[in-house]
Coordinates of all heavy atoms in Angstrom, one line a residue:
M1 N 69.2 137.3 10.0 CA 69.6 138.0 11.2 C 70.1 139.4 10.8 O 70.9 139.5 9.9 CB 70.8 137.2 11.8 CG 71.0 137.4 13.3 SD 72.4 136.5 13.9 CE 71.7 135.6 15.2
T2 N 69.6 140.4 11.5 CA 70.1 141.7 11.2 C 71.4 142.0 11.9 O 71.9 141.2 12.7 CB 69.1 142.8 11.7 OG1 69.2 142.8 13.1 CG2 67.7 142.5 11.2
R3 N 72.1 143.0 11.5 CA 73.4 143.3 12.1 C 73.2 143.7 13.6 O 74.2 143.7 14.3 CB 74.1 144.4 11.3 CG 73.5 145.8 11.6 CD 74.3 146.9 11.0 NE 74.1 147.0 9.6 CZ 74.6 147.9 8.9 NH1 75.4 148.9 9.4 NH2 74.4 148.0 7.6
Y4 N 72.0 144.0 14.0 CA 71.8 144.3 15.4 C 71.5 143.2 16.3 O 71.5 143.3 17.5 CB 70.7 145.3 15.5 CG 70.9 146.6 14.7 CD1 70.2 146.8 13.6 CD2 71.9 147.5 15.1 CE1 70.4 148.0 12.8 CE2 72.2 148.6 14.3 CZ 71.4 148.9 13.2 OH 71.6 150.0 12.4
A5 N 71.3 142.0 15.7 CA 70.8 140.9 16.5 C 71.8 140.4 17.5 O 71.5 140.1 18.6 CB 70.4 139.7 15.6
L6 N 73.1 140.3 17.1 CA 74.1 139.8 18.0 C 74.3 140.6 19.2 O 74.3 140.1 20.3 CB 75.4 139.6 17.2 CG 76.5 138.9 18.0 CD1 76.0 137.5 18.4 CD2 77.8 138.7 17.1
P7 N 74.5 141.9 19.1 CA 74.6 142.7 20.3 C 73.4 142.6 21.3 O 73.6 142.5 22.5 CB 74.8 144.1 19.8 CG 75.3 144.0 18.5 CD 74.7 142.7 17.9
L8 N 72.2 142.5 20.7 CA 71.1 142.4 21.5 C 71.1 141.1 22.3 O 70.7 141.0 23.4 CB 69.8 142.6 20.7 CG 69.5 144.0 20.2 CD1 68.3 144.0 19.3 CD2 69.2 144.9 21.4
L9 N 71.5 140.0 21.5 CA 71.5 138.7 22.1 C 72.5 138.7 23.3 O 72.2 138.2 24.4 CB 72.0 137.7 21.1 CG 71.9 136.2 21.4 CD1 70.5 135.8 21.7 CD2 72.6 135.4 20.3
L10 N 73.7 139.3 23.1 CA 74.7 139.4 24.2 C 74.1 140.1 25.4 O 74.3 139.7 26.5 CB 76.0 140.0 23.7 CG 76.7 139.2 22.7 CD1 77.9 140.0 22.1 CD2 77.2 137.9 23.3
L11 N 73.4 141.2 25.1 CA 72.9 142.0 26.2 C 71.9 141.2 27.0 O 71.9 141.2 28.2 CB 72.2 143.3 25.7 CG 73.2 144.4 25.4 CD1 72.3 145.5 24.7 CD2 73.9 144.9 26.6
S12 N 71.0 140.5 26.3 CA 70.0 139.7 27.0 C 70.5 138.5 27.8 O 69.9 138.0 28.6 CB 68.9 139.3 25.9 OG 69.5 138.3 25.1
C13 N 71.7 138.1 27.4 CA 72.3 137.0 28.2 C 73.4 137.5 29.1 O 74.3 136.8 29.5 CB 73.0 136.0 27.2 SG 71.9 135.3 26.0
G14 N 73.3 138.8 29.5 CA 74.3 139.4 30.4 C 74.6 138.6 31.6 O 75.8 138.5 32.0
G15 N 73.6 137.9 32.2 CA 73.9 137.2 33.4 C 75.0 136.1 33.3 O 75.8 135.9 34.2
A16 N 75.0 135.5 32.1 CA 76.0 134.4 31.9 C 77.4 135.0 31.8 O 78.3 134.2 32.0 CB 75.6 133.8 30.5
F17 N 77.5 136.3 31.6 CA 78.9 136.8 31.5 C 79.2 137.6 32.8 O 80.1 138.5 32.7 CB 79.0 137.7 30.3 CG 78.8 137.0 29.0 CD1 77.5 136.9 28.4 CD2 79.8 136.4 28.4 CE1 77.3 136.2 27.2 CE2 79.7 135.7 27.2 CZ 78.4 135.6 26.6
A18 N 78.5 137.4 33.8 CA 78.7 138.2 35.0 C 80.1 138.3 35.5 O 80.6 139.3 36.0 CB 77.8 137.7 36.2
A19 N 80.8 137.2 35.4 CA 82.2 137.1 35.9 C 83.1 138.1 35.2 O 84.1 138.5 35.7 CB 82.8 135.7 35.8
D20 N 82.8 138.4 33.9 CA 83.6 139.3 33.1 C 83.0 140.7 33.1 O 83.5 141.5 32.4 CB 83.7 138.7 31.7 CG 84.4 137.4 31.7 OD1 85.4 137.2 32.4 OD2 83.8 136.5 31.0
A21 N 81.9 140.9 33.8 CA 81.2 142.2 33.6 C 82.1 143.3 34.2 O 82.8 143.2 35.2 CB 79.9 142.2 34.4
A22 N 82.0 144.4 33.5 CA 82.7 145.6 34.1 C 81.6 146.3 34.9 O 80.5 146.6 34.5 CB 83.1 146.5 32.9
H23 N 82.0 146.6 36.1 CA 81.1 147.3 37.1 C 81.6 148.7 37.2 O 82.7 148.9 37.7 CB 81.1 146.6 38.4 CG 80.6 145.2 38.4 ND1 79.3 144.8 38.3 CD2 81.3 144.0 38.3 CE1 79.2 143.5 38.2 NE2 80.4 143.0 38.3
T24 N 80.8 149.6 36.7 CA 81.2 151.0 36.7 C 80.4 151.8 37.8 O 79.1 151.7 37.8 CB 81.0 151.6 35.4 OG1 81.8 150.9 34.4 CG2 81.4 153.1 35.4
I25 N 81.1 152.5 38.6 CA 80.4 153.4 39.6 C 80.8 154.8 39.2 O 82.0 155.1 39.1 CB 80.9 153.0 41.0 CG1 80.8 151.6 41.4 CG2 80.2 154.0 42.0 CD1 79.3 151.1 41.5
T26 N 79.8 155.7 39.1 CA 80.2 157.0 38.8 C 80.1 157.8 40.2 O 79.4 157.5 41.1 CB 79.2 157.7 37.8 OG1 77.9 157.7 38.4 CG2 79.2 157.0 36.5
Q27 N 81.0 158.8 40.2 CA 81.0 159.8 41.3 C 80.4 161.1 40.8 O 81.1 161.7 39.9 CB 82.4 159.9 41.8 CG 83.0 158.6 42.4 CD 84.5 158.6 42.4 OE1 85.1 158.8 41.4 NE2 85.1 158.5 43.6
S28 N 79.3 161.5 41.3 CA 78.6 162.6 40.7 C 77.8 163.3 41.8 O 77.0 162.6 42.5 CB 77.7 162.1 39.6 OG 76.8 163.1 39.1
G29 N 77.9 164.6 41.9 CA 77.2 165.3 43.0 C 77.6 164.9 44.4 O 76.7 164.8 45.2
R30 N 78.8 164.5 44.5 CA 79.3 164.0 45.8 C 78.6 162.8 46.3 O 78.4 162.5 47.5 CB 79.2 165.1 47.0 CG 80.0 166.3 46.8 CD 80.0 167.2 48.0 NE 80.8 168.4 47.8 CZ 80.5 169.5 47.2 NH1 79.3 169.6 46.6 NH2 81.3 170.5 47.1
M31 N 78.2 162.0 45.3 CA 77.6 160.7 45.6 C 78.2 159.6 44.7 O 78.6 159.9 43.6 CB 76.1 160.7 45.4 CG 75.3 161.6 46.3 SD 73.5 161.7 45.9 CE 73.1 159.9 46.3
F32 N 78.1 158.4 45.2 CA 78.4 157.2 44.4 C 77.1 156.8 43.7 O 76.1 156.7 44.4 CB 78.9 156.0 45.2 CG 80.3 156.3 45.8 CD1 80.5 156.5 47.1 CD2 81.4 156.2 45.0 CE1 81.7 156.7 47.7 CE2 82.7 156.3 45.5 CZ 82.8 156.6 46.9
R33 N 77.1 156.5 42.4 CA 75.9 156.1 41.7 C 76.2 154.9 40.9 O 77.1 154.9 40.1 CB 75.4 157.2 40.8 CG 75.1 158.5 41.6 CD 74.8 159.6 40.6 NE 74.8 160.9 41.3 CZ 73.7 161.5 41.8 NH1 72.6 160.9 41.7 NH2 73.8 162.7 42.4
P34 N 75.6 153.7 41.2 CA 74.6 153.6 42.3 C 75.3 153.6 43.7 O 76.5 153.6 43.8 CB 74.0 152.2 42.0 CG 75.2 151.4 41.3 CD 75.8 152.5 40.5
G35 N 74.5 153.6 44.7 CA 75.0 153.7 46.1 C 75.3 152.3 46.7 O 75.8 152.3 47.8
E36 N 74.9 151.3 46.0 CA 75.3 150.0 46.5 C 75.4 149.0 45.3 O 74.7 149.3 44.3 CB 74.3 149.4 47.5 CG 72.9 149.3 47.1 CD 72.1 148.7 48.3 OE1 72.0 147.5 48.3 OE2 71.5 149.5 49.1
V37 N 76.2 148.0 45.4 CA 76.4 147.1 44.3 C 76.8 145.7 44.8 O 77.4 145.7 45.9 CB 77.5 147.7 43.3 CG1 78.9 147.7 44.0 CG2 77.6 146.9 42.1
T38 N 76.4 144.7 44.1 CA 76.8 143.3 44.5 C 77.6 142.8 43.4 O 77.2 142.8 42.2 CB 75.5 142.5 44.7 OG1 74.8 143.0 45.8 CG2 75.9 141.1 45.1
I39 N 78.8 142.2 43.7 CA 79.7 141.6 42.7 C 80.2 140.3 43.2 O 79.9 139.9 44.4 CB 80.9 142.6 42.4 CG1 81.7 142.8 43.7 CG2 80.5 143.9 41.9 CD1 83.0 143.6 43.4
S40 N 80.8 139.6 42.4 CA 81.4 138.3 42.8 C 82.9 138.5 43.2 O 83.5 139.4 42.7 CB 81.4 137.3 41.6 OG 80.0 137.0 41.3
R41 N 83.3 137.6 44.1 CA 84.7 137.7 44.5 C 85.7 137.7 43.4 O 85.5 136.9 42.5 CB 85.0 136.6 45.5 CG 86.3 136.7 46.3 CD 86.2 135.9 47.6 NE 85.8 134.5 47.3 CZ 86.6 133.5 47.1 NH1 87.9 133.7 47.1 NH2 86.2 132.3 46.9
G42 N 86.6 138.6 43.4 CA 87.6 138.7 42.3 C 87.3 139.7 41.2 O 88.1 140.0 40.4
E43 N 86.0 140.2 41.3 CA 85.7 141.2 40.3 C 86.1 142.6 40.7 O 86.5 142.8 41.9 CB 84.1 141.2 40.1 CG 83.6 140.0 39.3 CD 82.2 140.0 39.0 OE1 81.4 140.6 39.8 OE2 81.8 139.5 38.0
A44 N 86.1 143.5 39.8 CA 86.6 144.8 40.0 C 85.5 145.8 39.8 O 84.6 145.6 39.1 CB 87.8 145.1 39.1
L45 N 85.7 146.9 40.5 CA 84.8 148.1 40.3 C 85.7 149.2 39.6 O 86.8 149.4 40.1 CB 84.2 148.6 41.6 CG 83.2 147.7 42.3 CD1 82.8 148.4 43.6 CD2 82.0 147.4 41.4
T46 N 85.1 149.9 38.6 CA 85.8 151.0 38.1 C 85.0 152.3 38.5 O 83.8 152.4 38.3 CB 85.9 150.9 36.6 OG1 86.7 149.8 36.2 CG2 86.5 152.2 36.0
F47 N 85.7 153.2 39.1 CA 85.1 154.4 39.6 C 85.5 155.5 38.6 O 86.7 155.8 38.3 CB 85.7 154.8 41.0 CG 85.3 153.7 42.0 CD1 86.2 152.6 42.2 CD2 84.2 153.8 42.8 CE1 85.9 151.7 43.2 CE2 83.9 152.8 43.7 CZ 84.7 151.8 43.9
T48 N 84.5 156.3 38.2 CA 84.7 157.4 37.2 C 84.3 158.7 37.9 O 83.1 158.8 38.4 CB 83.9 157.2 36.0 OG1 84.3 155.9 35.4 CG2 84.1 158.3 35.0
N49 N 85.2 159.6 38.0 CA 84.9 160.9 38.6 C 84.3 161.8 37.6 O 84.9 162.4 36.7 CB 86.2 161.5 39.1 CG 85.9 162.8 39.9 OD1 84.8 163.2 40.0 ND2 87.0 163.4 40.5
K50 N 82.9 162.0 37.8 CA 82.2 162.9 36.9 C 81.9 164.2 37.5 O 81.1 165.0 37.0 CB 80.9 162.2 36.4 CG 81.2 161.0 35.5 CD 80.0 160.5 34.7 CE 80.4 159.5 33.7 NZ 79.2 158.9 33.0
D51 N 82.5 164.4 38.7 CA 82.4 165.7 39.4 C 83.4 166.7 38.8 O 84.3 166.3 38.0 CB 82.5 165.5 40.9 CG 81.2 165.2 41.5 OD1 80.1 165.8 41.1 OD2 81.2 164.3 42.4
T52 N 83.3 167.9 39.2 CA 84.3 168.9 38.8 C 85.4 169.2 39.8 O 86.1 170.1 39.8 CB 83.5 170.3 38.5 OG1 82.8 170.6 39.7 CG2 82.6 170.1 37.4
F53 N 85.5 168.2 40.8 CA 86.5 168.3 41.8 C 87.0 166.9 42.1 O 86.5 165.9 41.6 CB 85.9 169.0 43.1 CG 84.5 168.5 43.4 CD1 84.2 167.3 43.9 CD2 83.4 169.3 43.0 CE1 82.9 166.9 44.2 CE2 82.1 168.9 43.2 CZ 81.9 167.7 43.8
I54 N 88.1 166.9 42.9 CA 88.8 165.7 43.2 C 88.0 164.8 44.2 O 87.4 165.3 45.1 CB 90.2 166.1 43.8 CG1 91.1 166.6 42.7 CG2 90.8 164.9 44.5 CD1 92.4 167.2 43.2
H55 N 88.2 163.5 44.0 CA 87.8 162.5 45.0 C 89.0 161.7 45.4 O 89.9 161.5 44.6 CB 86.6 161.6 44.5 CG 85.3 162.3 44.3 ND1 84.6 162.8 45.3 CD2 84.6 162.5 43.1 CE1 83.5 163.4 44.8 NE2 83.5 163.2 43.5
Q56 N 88.9 161.1 46.6 CA 90.0 160.2 47.0 C 89.4 159.2 47.9 O 89.1 159.4 49.1 CB 91.1 161.0 47.8 CG 92.3 160.1 48.1 CD 93.4 160.9 48.8 OE1 93.2 162.0 49.3 NE2 94.6 160.3 48.9
I57 N 89.2 158.0 47.3 CA 88.4 157.0 48.0 C 89.2 155.9 48.6 O 90.4 155.7 48.2 CB 87.3 156.4 47.0 CG1 88.0 155.6 45.9 CG2 86.4 157.5 46.5 CD1 86.9 154.9 45.0
Y58 N 88.6 155.2 49.5 CA 89.3 154.1 50.2 C 88.2 153.2 50.8 O 87.1 153.5 51.0 CB 90.1 154.7 51.4 CG 89.3 155.4 52.5 CD1 89.0 154.7 53.6 CD2 88.8 156.7 52.3 CE1 88.2 155.2 54.6 CE2 88.0 157.2 53.3 CZ 87.8 156.5 54.5 OH 87.0 157.1 55.5
V59 N 88.7 152.0 51.1 CA 88.0 151.0 52.0 C 88.9 150.6 53.1 O 90.1 150.2 52.8 CB 87.6 149.8 51.2 CG1 86.9 148.7 52.1 CG2 86.6 150.1 50.1
N60 N 88.5 150.8 54.3 CA 89.4 150.5 55.4 C 89.9 149.0 55.3 O 89.1 148.1 55.1 CB 88.6 150.6 56.8 CG 88.6 152.1 57.2 OD1 89.5 152.8 57.0 ND2 87.5 152.4 57.9
G61 N 91.2 148.9 55.3 CA 91.8 147.5 55.3 C 91.9 147.0 53.9 O 92.6 145.9 53.8
L62 N 91.4 147.6 52.9 CA 91.5 147.1 51.5 C 92.3 147.9 50.6 O 93.3 147.4 50.0 CB 90.1 146.9 50.9 CG 89.2 145.8 51.4 CD1 88.0 145.6 50.5 CD2 90.0 144.4 51.5
F63 N 92.0 149.2 50.4 CA 92.8 150.1 49.6 C 92.6 151.5 50.0 O 91.6 151.8 50.7 CB 92.4 149.9 48.1 CG 91.0 150.3 47.7 CD1 90.8 151.7 47.3 CD2 90.0 149.5 47.7 CE1 89.5 152.1 47.0 CE2 88.7 149.9 47.3 CZ 88.5 151.2 47.0
D64 N 93.5 152.3 49.5 CA 93.5 153.7 49.8 C 94.1 154.4 48.6 O 95.3 154.4 48.4 CB 94.3 154.0 51.1 CG 94.0 155.4 51.7 OD1 93.4 156.2 51.0 OD2 94.5 155.6 52.8
S65 N 93.2 155.0 47.8 CA 93.6 155.5 46.5 C 94.3 156.8 46.5 O 94.2 157.6 47.5 CB 92.4 155.5 45.5 OG 91.8 156.8 45.7
E66 N 94.9 157.2 45.4 CA 95.4 158.5 45.2 C 94.2 159.4 44.9 O 93.1 159.0 44.7 CB 96.3 158.5 43.9 CG 97.5 157.5 44.0 CD 98.5 158.0 45.0 OE1 99.0 159.1 44.8 OE2 98.9 157.2 45.9
E67 N 94.5 160.7 44.9 CA 93.5 161.7 44.5 C 93.2 161.5 43.0 O 94.1 161.2 42.2 CB 94.0 163.1 44.7 CG 94.2 163.5 46.2 CD 94.6 164.9 46.3 OE1 94.9 165.6 45.3 OE2 94.6 165.4 47.4
K68 N 91.9 161.5 42.7 CA 91.5 161.4 41.3 C 90.8 162.6 40.9 O 89.8 163.0 41.5 CB 90.5 160.1 41.2 CG 91.3 158.8 41.4 CD 92.3 158.6 40.3 CE 93.1 157.3 40.6 NZ 94.2 157.1 39.5
S69 N 91.3 163.2 39.8 CA 90.7 164.4 39.3 C 89.5 164.2 38.4 O 89.2 163.0 38.0 CB 91.8 165.1 38.4 OG 92.9 165.4 39.2
P70 N 88.8 165.2 38.1 CA 87.6 165.1 37.2 C 88.0 164.3 35.9 O 89.0 164.6 35.3 CB 87.2 166.5 36.9 CG 87.6 167.2 38.2 CD 88.9 166.6 38.6
G71 N 87.2 163.4 35.6 CA 87.4 162.6 34.3 C 88.3 161.4 34.5 O 88.4 160.6 33.6
E72 N 89.0 161.3 35.7 CA 89.9 160.1 35.9 C 89.1 158.9 36.4 O 88.0 159.0 37.0 CB 90.9 160.5 36.9 CG 92.0 161.4 36.4 CD 93.2 161.4 37.3 OE1 93.1 161.9 38.4 OE2 94.3 160.9 36.9
N73 N 89.7 157.7 36.1 CA 89.1 156.5 36.5 C 90.0 155.8 37.6 O 91.2 156.0 37.6 CB 89.0 155.5 35.4 CG 87.9 155.9 34.4 OD1 87.0 156.6 34.7 ND2 88.0 155.4 33.2
L74 N 89.4 155.0 38.4 CA 90.1 154.1 39.3 C 89.5 152.8 39.3 O 88.3 152.7 39.3 CB 90.1 154.7 40.7 CG 90.6 153.8 41.8 CD1 92.1 153.8 41.8 CD2 90.1 154.3 43.2
T75 N 90.3 151.7 39.1 CA 89.8 150.4 39.2 C 90.4 149.6 40.4 O 91.6 149.6 40.5 CB 90.1 149.6 37.9 OG1 89.5 150.3 36.8 CG2 89.6 148.2 37.9
E76 N 89.5 149.0 41.1 CA 89.9 148.3 42.3 C 89.3 146.9 42.3 O 88.0 146.8 42.1 CB 89.5 149.0 43.6 CG 90.3 150.3 43.8 CD 91.7 150.0 44.3 OE1 92.1 148.9 44.6 OE2 92.5 151.0 44.2
S77 N 90.0 145.9 42.5 CA 89.5 144.5 42.6 C 89.1 144.2 44.1 O 89.8 144.7 45.0 CB 90.6 143.5 42.1 OG 90.8 143.7 40.8
F78 N 88.1 143.4 44.2 CA 87.7 142.9 45.5 C 87.9 141.4 45.6 O 87.2 140.6 45.0 CB 86.2 143.3 45.7 CG 86.0 144.8 45.9 CD1 86.0 145.6 44.8 CD2 85.8 145.3 47.2 CE1 85.9 147.0 45.0 CE2 85.6 146.7 47.3 CZ 85.7 147.5 46.2
T79 N 88.9 141.0 46.4 CA 89.3 139.6 46.4 C 88.8 138.9 47.6 O 89.0 137.7 47.8 CB 90.8 139.5 46.3 OG1 91.4 140.2 47.4 CG2 91.3 140.1 45.0
Q80 N 88.1 139.6 48.5 CA 87.6 139.0 49.7 C 86.0 139.1 49.7 O 85.5 140.1 49.3 CB 88.1 139.6 51.0 CG 89.6 139.7 51.2 CD 89.9 140.6 52.4 OE1 89.2 140.6 53.4 NE2 91.0 141.3 52.3
S81 N 85.4 138.0 50.2 CA 83.9 138.1 50.3 C 83.6 139.0 51.5 O 84.4 139.1 52.5 CB 83.3 136.7 50.6 OG 83.6 135.9 49.5
G82 N 82.4 139.6 51.5 CA 82.0 140.4 52.6 C 81.3 141.6 52.1 O 81.0 141.8 50.9
T83 N 81.0 142.5 53.1 CA 80.3 143.8 52.8 C 81.3 144.9 53.2 O 81.8 144.9 54.3 CB 79.0 143.9 53.6 OG1 78.2 142.8 53.2 CG2 78.3 145.2 53.2
F84 N 81.5 145.8 52.2 CA 82.5 146.8 52.4 C 81.9 148.2 52.1 O 81.1 148.4 51.2 CB 83.7 146.6 51.5 CG 84.3 145.2 51.6 CD1 84.0 144.2 50.8 CD2 85.3 145.0 52.6 CE1 84.5 142.9 50.9 CE2 85.8 143.7 52.8 CZ 85.4 142.7 51.9
D85 N 82.3 149.2 52.9 CA 81.9 150.6 52.6 C 83.1 151.3 51.9 O 84.2 151.4 52.5 CB 81.7 151.3 54.0 CG 80.4 150.8 54.6 OD1 79.6 150.1 54.0 OD2 80.2 151.2 55.8
V86 N 82.8 151.8 50.8 CA 83.8 152.7 50.1 C 83.5 154.1 50.5 O 82.3 154.6 50.4 CB 83.6 152.6 48.5 CG1 84.7 153.4 47.8 CG2 83.8 151.1 48.1
R87 N 84.5 154.8 51.0 CA 84.3 156.2 51.4 C 85.3 157.1 50.7 O 86.2 156.6 50.0 CB 84.6 156.2 53.0 CG 83.8 155.2 53.8 CD 82.3 155.3 53.6 NE 81.7 156.5 54.1 CZ 81.0 156.7 55.2 NH1 80.8 155.7 56.0 NH2 80.5 157.9 55.4
C88 N 85.0 158.4 50.9 CA 85.9 159.4 50.3 C 86.5 160.2 51.4 O 85.8 160.7 52.2 CB 85.1 160.3 49.3 SG 86.1 161.6 48.6
H89 N 87.8 160.4 51.3 CA 88.5 161.2 52.3 C 88.0 162.6 52.3 O 88.0 163.3 53.3 CB 90.0 161.2 52.1 CG 90.7 160.0 52.4 ND1 90.8 159.5 53.7 CD2 91.4 159.0 51.6 CE1 91.5 158.3 53.7 NE2 91.9 158.1 52.5
I90 N 87.7 163.1 51.1 CA 87.4 164.6 51.0 C 86.0 164.9 51.3 O 85.6 166.0 51.8 CB 87.8 165.0 49.5 CG1 89.3 164.7 49.3 CG2 87.5 166.5 49.3 CD1 89.7 164.8 47.9
H91 N 85.1 163.9 51.0 CA 83.6 164.1 51.2 C 83.1 163.0 52.1 O 82.7 161.9 51.6 CB 82.9 164.1 49.9 CG 83.5 165.0 48.8 ND1 84.3 164.6 47.8 CD2 83.5 166.4 48.8 CE1 84.8 165.6 47.1 NE2 84.3 166.7 47.7
P92 N 83.2 163.2 53.4 CA 82.9 162.1 54.4 C 81.4 161.5 54.2 O 81.2 160.4 54.7 CB 83.0 162.8 55.7 CG 83.9 164.0 55.5 CD 83.6 164.4 54.1
K93 N 80.5 162.3 53.6 CA 79.2 161.7 53.5 C 79.0 160.8 52.3 O 78.0 160.1 52.2 CB 78.2 162.9 53.3 CG 78.0 163.7 54.5 CD 77.0 164.8 54.4 CE 76.8 165.5 55.7 NZ 75.9 166.8 55.5
M94 N 80.0 160.7 51.5 CA 80.0 159.7 50.3 C 80.1 158.3 50.8 O 81.0 158.0 51.6 CB 81.1 160.0 49.3 CG 80.9 161.3 48.5 SD 82.2 161.6 47.3 CE 81.9 160.3 46.1
K95 N 79.3 157.4 50.4 CA 79.3 156.0 50.8 C 78.8 155.1 49.7 O 77.7 155.4 49.2 CB 78.6 155.9 52.1 CG 78.6 154.4 52.6 CD 77.8 154.3 53.9 CE 77.5 152.9 54.3 NZ 76.7 152.8 55.6
L96 N 79.5 154.1 49.4 CA 79.1 153.0 48.5 C 79.2 151.7 49.3 O 80.3 151.4 49.8 CB 80.0 153.0 47.3 CG 79.8 151.7 46.4 CD1 78.5 151.7 45.7 CD2 81.0 151.6 45.4
V97 N 78.1 151.0 49.3 CA 78.1 149.7 49.9 C 78.4 148.6 48.8 O 77.7 148.5 47.9 CB 76.8 149.4 50.6 CG1 76.8 147.9 51.2 CG2 76.5 150.4 51.7
V98 N 79.5 147.9 49.0 CA 79.8 146.8 48.1 C 79.7 145.5 48.7 O 80.3 145.2 49.8 CB 81.3 147.0 47.6 CG1 81.7 145.9 46.6 CG2 81.6 148.3 47.0
R99 N 78.8 144.7 48.2 CA 78.6 143.3 48.7 C 79.4 142.4 47.7 O 79.1 142.3 46.5 CB 77.2 142.9 48.7 CG 76.4 143.7 49.8 CD 75.0 143.2 50.0 NE 74.3 144.1 51.0 CZ 73.8 145.2 50.8 NH1 73.7 145.7 49.5 NH2 73.2 146.0 51.7
V100 N 80.3 141.6 48.3 CA 81.1 140.7 47.5 C 80.7 139.3 47.8 O 80.9 138.9 49.0 CB 82.6 140.9 47.7 CG1 83.4 140.0 46.8 CG2 83.0 142.4 47.5
K101 N 80.2 138.6 46.9 CA 79.7 137.2 47.1 C 80.8 136.2 47.1 O 81.7 136.3 46.3 CB 78.6 136.8 46.1 CG 77.4 137.7 46.2 CD 76.4 137.3 45.1 CE 76.9 137.7 43.7 NZ 76.1 137.3 42.6
Ligands
CU1 CU1 84.9 162.8 47.2

């Protein structure tokens, strides 16, 4: 077994570790990338601001974040099943659809 075999094995079995997966959403060009994501109940999304300006995101009824500067991260857990729209106070066209199973 080469030293590379174990990481490759873990990657190829990623589905088995879904409950522990880190779900990263980047904010870039006034967009969420990807623009939609499906996660399991109790999992979290980490939002990384890769733009050169502030974002301030929220989901009605779930959370309402502080302003996040370029390079900052925000992690939010989703504890209810359903479909949620993540929006940005500063850029109303930004939208991420989160499906929580
Ligand atoms: Cu924004």
Side-chain angles (χ1 to χ4, degrees):
M1 203 183 237
T2 72
R3 74 172 75 176
Y4 301 109
L6 186 57
L8 287 173
L9 188 66
L10 289 173
L11 281 174
S12 66
C13 297
F17 296 94
D20 298 315
H23 298 281
T24 301
I25 306 292
T26 62
Q27 296 159 300
S28 172
R30 293 188 179 81
M31 292 178 65
F32 293 104
R33 301 172 193 270
E36 57 177 274
V37 64
T38 300
I39 62 176
S40 297
R41 192 157 50 93
E43 289 185 327
L45 295 179
T46 296
F47 299 88
T48 300
N49 184 357
K50 293 197 171 175
D51 275 318
T52 55
F53 38 79
I54 286 169
H55 292 294
Q56 186 178 16
I57 65 171
Y58 66 98
V59 175
N60 279 329
L62 287 191
F63 69 87
D64 196 348
S65 86
E66 303 289 306
E67 292 182 351
K68 291 296 176 182
S69 298
E72 285 195 294
N73 290 337
L74 170 73
T75 299
E76 292 286 345
S77 295
F78 289 77
T79 57
Q80 304 173 32
S81 299
T83 301
F84 304 96
D85 289 347
V86 181
R87 310 303 298 254
C88 177
H89 286 295
I90 301 165
H91 309 102
K93 290 183 177 171
M94 290 179 70
K95 179 179 167 181
L96 166 69
V97 177
V98 182
R99 293 189 180 83
V100 184
K101 296 177 290 180

